[in-house]
Amino acid sequence: MRAQALRDAQDLRVGARRDVSALLAGAYCSAFRGRGLVFEELREYQPGDDASTIEWKATARLGRPIAKRMREERDLLVALLVDASDSLDYGYAGETKRAAVRRAAAAIACAAVRSQDRVALATFSDPVHDTLRPAGGAVQLERVFACLAAETPGRRSDARPALAWAIDTLPRHALVILISDLFLPDPDPLLARCARKHDLLVLRPVDPADGPPRRTAPVRVAPLESGRRAVWRPRRADRAVRTALCEADLRRRGADYAEIGTGERLVPGLQRVFEKRAGGAA
């Protein structure tokens, strides 16, 4: 088992560096560097200042225009919450969603370290398996690869402990990236609390086999995580598997949402996510 984990970590290391060298380094910097603003001080409003900087409560209290000064955060903290449950062992033509989730997390961590950002990590299924406190540099990146490659017992997924860890442990204004197929209990209100404290992005891997074939007889299924048997009828209104959360749920609670592909579609999908956020459209 240890030998397999070491081989997996080596594959993640090589793949992440190849992905970042090929496509993601520039896109990552433009999308995430310097996005955060933190309060620095109150001062007198000066002609030419943006009216949106006026602090209205202080203005009313003092009887003269007061503006708030914001400082751009350059030291970004990227926290990866990575699903490791059994439902990820699924995919088309030998490429599983688990491989896509690990590869995406490894590539983002590699891009962050290259940009001299700090990285934190939590892997979860039902419990939280491994956590890494924020740090930067090559040593932290090796720890990330090792955690992603480790065996993770526990078949069901629950993001609530990982979100609670991000809320309680991380400083404000971190970029928290939840990577999951979203087959999990509704994590609200922790999801909304995390989105208020941090910049929360949810990435969901999608696979060509997710869509059911048009002509298939009803079949009896048993989902990996719930184990509850049911009859699946492949009608358009009856999806093969329903997720606990949809894009509307996530955005309503303050999180950004994007989908990434598996296999060869993974890196182009990540690049589109970064470019969209850089353009302010995420």
Side-chain angles (χ1 to χ4, degrees), residues 13 22 27 86 101 116 125 129 135 140 145 148 159 163 176 183 193 203 207 211 213 236 260:
R13 182 183 304 112
D86 281 0
V101 166
Q116 299 182 346
S125 53
H129 297 293
Q140 180 74 347
F145 294 147
L148 292 175
L163 289 166
V176 177
F183 297 127
R193 286 179 56 197
L203 297 180
D207 188 87
R236 181 171 298 180
I260 54 176

Side-chain angles (χ1 to χ4, degrees), residues 24 27-28 31-32 108 270-279:
L24 294 183
Y28 170 89
F32 297 126
I108 293 170
L270 278 175
Q271 188 178 32
R272 285 193 296 272
V273 171
F274 293 170
E275 290 172 349
K276 191 174 180 181
R277 286 180 65 88

Side-chain angles (χ1 to χ4, degrees), residues 101-123:
V101 166
R102 286 177 170 178
R103 186 178 162 200
I108 293 170
C110 192
V113 168
R114 282 199 172 191
S115 296
Q116 299 182 346
D117 291 331
R118 292 178 296 153
V119 178
L121 174 76
T123 60

Side-chain angles (χ1 to χ4, degrees), residues 48-77:
D49 285 347
D50 190 335
S52 66
T53 64
I54 295 176
E55 176 54 52
W56 293 106
K57 290 184 178 180
T59 297
R61 185 171 63 251
L62 298 175
R64 62 183 187 276
I66 301 295
K68 54 188 174 183
R69 183 178 178 184
M70 308 299 290
R71 174 172 54 84
E72 191 175 29
E73 280 187 309
R74 306 304 295 182
D75 179 22
L76 183 67
L77 167 58

Side-chain angles (χ1 to χ4, degrees), residues 197-216:
K197 182 176 180 179
H198 302 298
D199 180 8
L200 178 60
L201 170 64
V202 178
L203 297 180
R204 178 180 172 230
V206 295
D207 188 87
D210 284 344
R214 295 180 66 101
R215 297 182 179 179
T216 303

Side-chain angles (χ1 to χ4, degrees), residues 144-155:
V144 169
F145 294 147
C147 288
L148 292 175
E151 293 290 332
T152 51
R155 62 185 305 176

